Amino acid sequence: MIQARIPLRDPDQPQAPARCAAAVPVLIITVVAVLDRLTPVGMSWLPLLAVGPALAAATCRPCGVLRIGFIAVAVGAVLGVLGGAPVHEQAIVLSALAAVTLASCLASLLRQRRERVLAAVRSVAEAAQNALLRPVPARVGQFQVAVRYSAAAAEARVGGDLYALVPTPYGIRLIVGDVRGKGLPAVSTAALVLGVFREAAYDEPDLLDVVGRIERSLSRNLAADDFVTAVVAGYPRSGRMELVNCGHAPPLLVSPSGVIPVEPTRPAPPLGLASLGGETPTLQVVPFADGDQLLLYTDGVIEARDQDREYFPLMERVPRHICDEPSRTLAALHDELLAHVGGRLHDDAALLLLRKPVSSGVPAAAEVRMS
């Protein structure tokens, strides 16, 4: 699957930036020693040697902090003797350095433990993401597929946007949606929607019945003010793409005639709000020939703002990057999106691109099955 992931880091494995940062305490001790030798008698810089082990606690293991502390104490003792400081003053300075070193060792040990807990939590988040947003192969049946997903809470790597693509007896079916809200409640709702969709997509011959089952499940489980916007799509037969849009941003159909937003013929409310009345979802059929592509996305993409509060112009950017490789197209779009917002998204964002190759040469029986 084409999806950016953050590799987990072993907190006990030193990294290059950490090794560079570990040299800073030694540099500080060196600078303090030089200052102490260059300043007149009577002015002592030795207490500043404690900065070395204190700073080492943020980047080094306890044994590394001890080494930095030993260097600080040794330098302090030598400078004290060379400067002719009274014995009791030297004893106070060296005792302070030793105490700071021990306290820094304890801080380093506690930091390591917290990093291990964080690594464990991140591994759980990784497992949750794989269970919730299952990896999508680069090719499913006749189609090339690419996915890009970025959670606003980058540390968690899961959010309220959802997507799924499943081969079924009724053709390829997929969903892209956006849960109202953020955090764990949004993740729980996304899991509910995806679970119902994956089951209904196999069972229901009609795409509207798939949407109906999701609606009934949400009406039983969501609060009154919660909802999910979504586009459910299916490819039941050659040259025909079916779409059901429930309050979601319109997909973009990419064909030789250009990039066209597929606006719903009759707008329907988001999933979970059917009890409030309004239009019911309708099935929309659009031509989908060889070489055509369908881009589905969430609000986090088109509502991303730059420093001038301008929205990300997805319609303008797609023609610049569209190509025969969906993964390359989405990688370029995702890079432009991050550049537009200055490197950090403030809302979950998902992109799913489906392409029908000009000549796939893959029989229907060879479709990839995903559990």
Side-chain angles (χ1 to χ4, degrees):
M1 183 180 73
I2 306 301
Q3 178 173 339
R5 296 184 184 273
I6 304 173
L8 300 178
R9 180 178 71 86
D10 183 355
D12 293 331
Q13 181 66 34
Q15 304 294 308
R19 288 194 294 268
C20 294
V24 174
V26 177
L27 179 61
I28 291 175
I29 293 173
T30 304
V31 171
V32 172
V34 172
L35 288 174
D36 189 77
R37 296 303 298 160
L38 295 179
T39 53
V41 177
M43 180 180 293
S44 177
W45 294 85
L46 297 186
L48 289 180
L49 291 171
V51 175
L55 185 59
T59 57
C60 301
R61 301 178 187 178
C63 58
V65 176
L66 282 176
R67 285 194 292 267
I68 299 296
F70 177 80
I71 294 173
V73 171
V75 170
V78 172
L79 293 176
V81 172
L82 294 177
V87 174
H88 68 278
E89 290 186 7
Q90 293 187 45
I92 292 174
V93 171
L94 297 180
S95 298
L97 289 175
V100 170
T101 298
L102 293 177
S104 299
C105 284
L106 178 60
S108 175
L109 180 62
L110 294 176
R111 175 183 56 81
Q112 276 197 306
R113 289 181 178 177
R114 287 194 296 270
E115 287 185 350
R116 290 192 186 97
V117 172
L118 179 59
V121 170
R122 285 182 171 176
S123 67
V124 172
E126 186 84 6
Q129 184 186 48
N130 287 334
L132 181 63
L133 303 176
R134 298 176 185 174
V136 176
R139 193 177 185 99
V140 180
Q142 313 170 58
F143 297 96
Q144 297 170 281
V145 187
V147 172
R148 278 277 174 171
Y149 178 83
S150 297
E155 294 79 6
R157 283 168 284 168
V158 290
D161 284 3
L162 58 96
Y163 64 84
L165 188 150
V166 292
T168 74
Y170 315 106
I172 298 294
R173 286 178 169 176
L174 60 142
I175 184 173
V176 170
D178 187 355
V179 178
R180 175 186 177 275
K182 298 179 181 178
L184 290 178
V187 174
S188 176
T189 302
L192 173 63
V193 172
L194 290 174
V196 176
F197 168 76
R198 289 177 178 130
E199 181 180 354
Y202 278 100
D203 295 342
E204 303 292 349
D206 193 312
L207 199 63
L208 283 173
D209 292 335
V210 175
V211 175
R213 282 187 46 179
I214 299 174
E215 175 64 46
R216 290 191 295 273
S217 179
L218 291 180
S219 64
R220 292 192 301 267
N221 293 282
L222 288 190
D225 57 345
D226 288 337
F227 58 85
V228 180
T229 67
V231 172
V232 182
Y235 190 79
R237 62 180 66 93
S238 181
R240 172 188 173 102
M241 180 69 71
E242 296 180 346
L243 299 169
V244 180
N245 192 326
C246 299
H248 198 74
L252 299 183
L253 178 63
V254 183
S255 66
S257 59
V259 179
I260 304 169
V262 186
E263 300 284 353
T265 54
R266 193 171 65 186
L271 295 167
L273 298 182
S275 59
L276 301 181
E279 296 288 350
T280 58
T282 57
L283 188 69
Q284 187 173 4
V285 180
V286 296
F288 200 73
D290 289 355
D292 288 353
Q293 304 188 49
L294 186 68
L295 176 63
L296 297 97
Y297 52 92
T298 58
D299 289 347
V301 177
I302 56 175
E303 293 181 358
R305 296 174 183 254
D306 61 12
Q307 60 183 0
D308 297 323
R309 309 299 294 168
E310 296 290 335
Y311 290 114
F312 180 67
L314 182 64
M315 277 284 295
E316 297 177 12
R317 303 297 172 86
V318 170
R320 299 183 188 178
H321 304 294
I322 202 70
C323 65
D324 293 344
E325 291 293 333
S327 60
R328 288 172 51 196
T329 300
L330 289 197
L333 284 174
H334 189 262
D335 290 345
E336 281 217 33
L337 177 62
L338 292 181
H340 181 80
V341 299
R344 176 66 185 255
L345 291 169
H346 299 288
D347 193 9
D348 304 327
L351 292 156
L352 188 152
L353 184 59
L354 190 73
R355 179 177 185 269
K356 179 74 162 53
V358 173
S359 49
S360 60
V362 180
E367 289 186 347
V368 177
R369 295 284 172 176
M370 295 181 289
S371 59

